[in-house]
Amino acid sequence: MARGARLIRGLGRLSGAARMRGVEEELRASRDRLRLALDAAGMGVWDWDLADGGLLWWGDLERVHGMAPGSFDGTFERFLAAVHADDRAAVQERIGRTLTTGEPFSAEFRAVGDDGRVRWVSTEGTAVFDRAGRPRRMLGVARDVTDVRRADAALRESEDRFRRMADHAPVLIWVSDPSGARTWLNAEWLRHTGRSMEQELGDGWAENVHPDDLERRLRASRRAIERRQAFEIEYRLRRADGSYGWVLDRAVPRIGRDGDFAGLIGSCVDITARLEHERRGELLAEIGVVLNGPMALEGRLDGLVRTVLPAVADSCVVDLITGPGRLVRAAAAHVDPERSRVLADLPPPLEDSPIGEVAATGRPMLLPDVSDELTERYSRGPADAQARARLRVRSAVVAPLVARGRRIGVLSLSTSRDHSDRRLTEDDLGLAEEIAERVALAVDNARLYESEHELRRQMEFLLEAGALLSSSLDHEATLRALAALVVPDLADWCAVHLRSESGGLTPVAIAHADPERERWASELAARHPGDPDALAGPSAVVRTGEPQLVEQVTDELLVAAARDEQHLGVLREMGLTSYVCVPLAVRGRPIGALSLLATRESGRRFGPADLRLARQLAERAAVAIDNARLFRAQQRIADTLQQALLPAELPVVPGAALGAAYLPMGTGVEAGGDFYDVVRSEDGRWLVVIGDVCGKGPEAASLTALARYTIRALAQHDPCPARLLAQLNDAVLHQRPGSTQFLTACAGLVERAGAGLRVTLASAGHPPPLVLRASGATEWVRASGPLVGIRRSIRPAPAEVALEPGDRLLLYTDGLTEARTGRGRFLGEEGLAAVAAEIADAPAAELAGRVADRVREMCGGRLHDDVAVLVVGAAAARAARGDGVPARADDAAGHG
C-alpha cells in the first residue's frame, strides 16, 4: 500500500511536468507494473483533475463499479451516476469536506452496475492543493468490499440474533474482554441481580458474588484467561431480593475473526433448587438410616430430631397419638441444649392448637410468622406461656404422621428469632411432609414389630402356661407355679384367690421376684383379709364377674382401698402404679380371681393388651382348676367302684399261701375290667378265679360285677371250674342280650392233697397259668376254652396241676404278657417266666405285687393295660426238705 501511494504521488507530479519522452517511457513501464499489481489486488487507482474535470481510472475500477470493460468515459458525472441514489449525497458531502478542509477522504457506498447488481465500494483518497491553498486534484484508491460488507452484515446479524436469543434464554449469559472485564450481559442476568447494564459492566458484576465465594470465582476466571481454556465453578450469587442462590458458571474462550483470544463467554444456571433437592435427598437418606437403625423406637426418634438440626430448622418435635385427642411427646430437640429441655418438659398441646388441629384433621399447616400473642393463646397457663415464650419461635410448620391411612402423630419444625430467624415457606412444609411420611412409616413398622413380638411372646407364654396348668392335677400347686411364671415377665406381683366353701376368698398363690417380699405379702394378706363388699379388687371381680383395669393407680384409689391407716401405709410402701384383676370363671360362675400388679420398681403400666392376656390366662387357669376338681371327683368314684369289684382281703385257705395284686393302667377316672376272687364252697373246697373284661368304664364295671357275683353264687353249690365257666357264659348271655362285650377267665378248684395241693383248672380264653416249682423250674398249664359272652354255650377242657410244698401257681391277666418293655416289644410268656423266676423266693403274699411292679418298671413306669395277679402256693414246711431243696417261708396255715 505504501508503494502504491508513492506511485500515485509520482503520477501526480508527472501529470503537471514536461512530457519528456524518456519520462513517458518510464512512466509507461511504471503504469504497467501498477496495473498488474492493482489487478492482482482487485483494486483500482483514480486521479481526478479538478481543473479540466478529467477522471482517470487505473486497474480494476470498472469491474469494481460494475461497468463493462472500456465503458467508463473518464468523467466525474459517469462515476456519480454509478453511485446508488441513496448514497450520492453522502459521497458528495464527503468530497466537499475533503476539498474544503483537506481532511483525508474516505467513503463506502453502493454502486449500481450496468447489470443492475449492487456492489459495495470502499474508496480512500487525498486532495492536492496549490501554494495558494486551492484544490487542484484528488487522488485515491477504490476496491470492491461487497463480500466484506456481507460478512460484516452477517456477523452483525449473528450478533444481534445471539443477543436476542441470549436475552430470552432462561440462563444468565455474560461476555468479557481478554482482561476479564464484562462487556455485555443478557437480560436474564440483569433481571436476576436487579441491576442495570452500566452497574454490571467491567468489574461491577463481582459485587453480586457472595463475599465468601468471590476470591475463588476470580481465581477461576484468571486461570482460564491465562491458559486460554474453559472453566466451571459453583458459587453464590445475590438475587434482586437480596438473598443468595447457588449458580453453576461455565465459560469458554472467545476467538476473534483474526484468530486472537477475544475474552470469555459464559453462562450461569441457578442450581439452588437442584442443590436443595440433592440436600433433601441426602438428608432424607440420612434420616432413613437413623429411622431404620437397630435401636429401639425411642432412640431412633431421638436420632431423627437431632439429624434435621440445624439444616432444616432450629427445633424439631415428634408427638405421638396414644388415644382420642391425646398426644404424648416422643422426641424433641433444639439447637440450643437448654431449650431442648424446655421442649421436653412442655405439657401436651391443646386440642385447638396448631399441633392439636393437625393431629385431629391430618392436614399440614404452615405458620410463616408466629407472634407472641399466638404463643400465649395456645398455652395452658402462665407457666406454660412463659416456657413457650423462652423458645422465641419465629416460624413453624406442622405435618401429620400418617401411616397406612391412620393418623399416628405430628411432626413440628420451627425456627427461632435468636438463631436462624428464618421464615419458613411452602418448600419447608413440603420437606416436613416428606420427613413425616418416613417417620410415620418407621413408627408404624416399629409398633407392628413390637405388637407382633409381644403377641408371639404372649402366645409362647400362654403355651408355657397351658403346659404348666395341664402338668398336674394338684391345682393349688399348679396355681402357685403359674403365679411364679407370671413374675417378673408380665407383672411385678401376681396373686390368685379362690372362693372357699364358706363363700369367702382365700389367697392360694402370691408371687414376687423376691421370696422375702412374698412372705411379707402373705403375712399382709393374713392380717388384712379382703373386704367382701369392696368396690375394687378380687372380691368385687368375683362378685360381679367383671374384670378391672386401672392403668394409673392414684393415691386416692389407695386411700379408698385401705382398711385402716396401717393398711394404707403398707399399700403406699408397695408403690403400686398399675393394676389388672380378672375373674376365674367356670361355666359362667366365678370361682376366683387372678390379679397382676405393677410397681415403681419396673415402671410398667398395664393397658388393654395386658387385660386381654390376663383374661386368656385366667380362662386357661379356670379350666385347669375345673378339670382337676372334676378329675378328682370322678377318680374317687372310679376308685370306690374298683375297690367294690375286688375282695377287700384274701381269706385264709388251709394248706395254701395266697397273694394278690391289682395295678391300674394309670391314674384314671374309669373302673377297669380286671378282677380276681377266692370263694369257699359248701363242701369246704376253695375256688380261685381271675378274669379280664373287655373295655373300661361303667359297661366294663357292670360286666365285671356280674361275672364276679355270678361266680360267687355258683361256686357255693358247684365249684367245678369247667361247669362254672359254662354257667357264667349262660348268665352273661341271658342277662346282657345283644351286648358285644366279653371276658376271659380262669378258675381253679383248690384241694388238699397230702402235703401239697391239687388244683383243677378251667380256662375261657384266658392266658395260661404259670407254675413256679420250689426247685426253680417253671411250667405252663394249658387249659383251653372259648371266651365268655360270645358263643351260646361253651365247654372248657379242664387241666389239673399238683403243687408240692413250696410250689406256686401264678394266675394273671394279659396286662402282664402284653406289656411293652423299653425296646417296644411285648414281654410275652417267656419274659413273664423270667421275671417270676428271678423273684420266686419272695413270700406268696408279696410275689404277686413284686411281679407286677417289676413289669411296670420294665415298661418305664407306665402300663398300657390294667394288671391283676393272683398267687396260690402250697404251704411249705419251715425246715429243709429231705431232698435237700430249701423250704420257702410261706405260712402253712394260710397266706402271708
Side-chain angles (χ1 to χ4, degrees), residues 584-604:
L584 298 171
V586 174
R587 293 183 291 277
R589 183 177 64 86
I591 62 171
L594 171 70
S595 303
L596 305 180
L597 298 93
T599 66
R600 288 190 298 267
E601 297 174 6
S602 64
R604 180 186 281 117

Side-chain angles (χ1 to χ4, degrees), residues 113-265:
D114 294 343
D115 56 2
R117 289 178 55 200
V118 177
R119 296 168 174 80
W120 280 93
V121 179
S122 175
T123 181
E124 296 178 0
T126 185
V128 179
F129 296 88
D130 60 15
R131 293 180 179 176
R134 291 186 297 272
R136 303 299 297 172
R137 61 187 333 120
M138 287 184 66
L139 302 173
V141 295
R143 59 190 178 91
D144 187 347
V145 294
T146 301
D147 292 341
V148 175
R149 287 300 297 264
R150 286 176 179 170
D152 288 344
L155 178 61
R156 285 194 299 272
E157 182 181 357
S158 176
E159 290 178 349
D160 290 343
R161 186 165 55 249
F162 162 74
R163 295 193 180 201
R164 287 194 300 272
M165 292 174 59
D167 282 338
H168 288 85
V171 297
L172 286 62
I173 300 176
W174 53 269
V175 178
S176 78
D177 62 17
S179 69
R182 296 286 167 88
T183 59
W184 182 82
L185 304 102
N186 73 339
E188 182 65 17
W189 178 287
L190 302 179
R191 185 200 62 77
H192 183 88
T193 60
R195 288 157 57 95
S196 66
M197 181 72 77
E198 289 73 18
Q199 290 175 306
E200 298 295 277
L201 291 177
D203 294 331
W205 65 273
E207 298 174 4
N208 302 306
V209 180
H210 194 283
D212 295 343
D213 302 337
L214 179 58
E215 180 55 35
R216 183 168 55 86
R217 168 60 182 83
L218 295 176
R219 188 164 57 248
S221 60
R222 286 196 299 266
R223 186 184 303 112
I225 290 173
E226 292 171 359
R227 300 177 182 180
R228 305 293 194 264
Q229 66 181 21
F231 75 85
E232 179 178 309
I233 189 172
E234 295 177 3
Y235 58 90
R236 285 164 288 181
L237 191 68
R238 188 171 55 208
R239 302 187 182 96
D241 62 1
S243 64
Y244 283 93
W246 284 90
V247 296
L248 173 61
D249 196 348
R250 291 191 180 99
V252 296
R254 192 163 57 91
I255 307 301
R257 279 185 293 179
D258 55 1
D260 293 337
F261 176 70
L264 299 171
I265 179 169

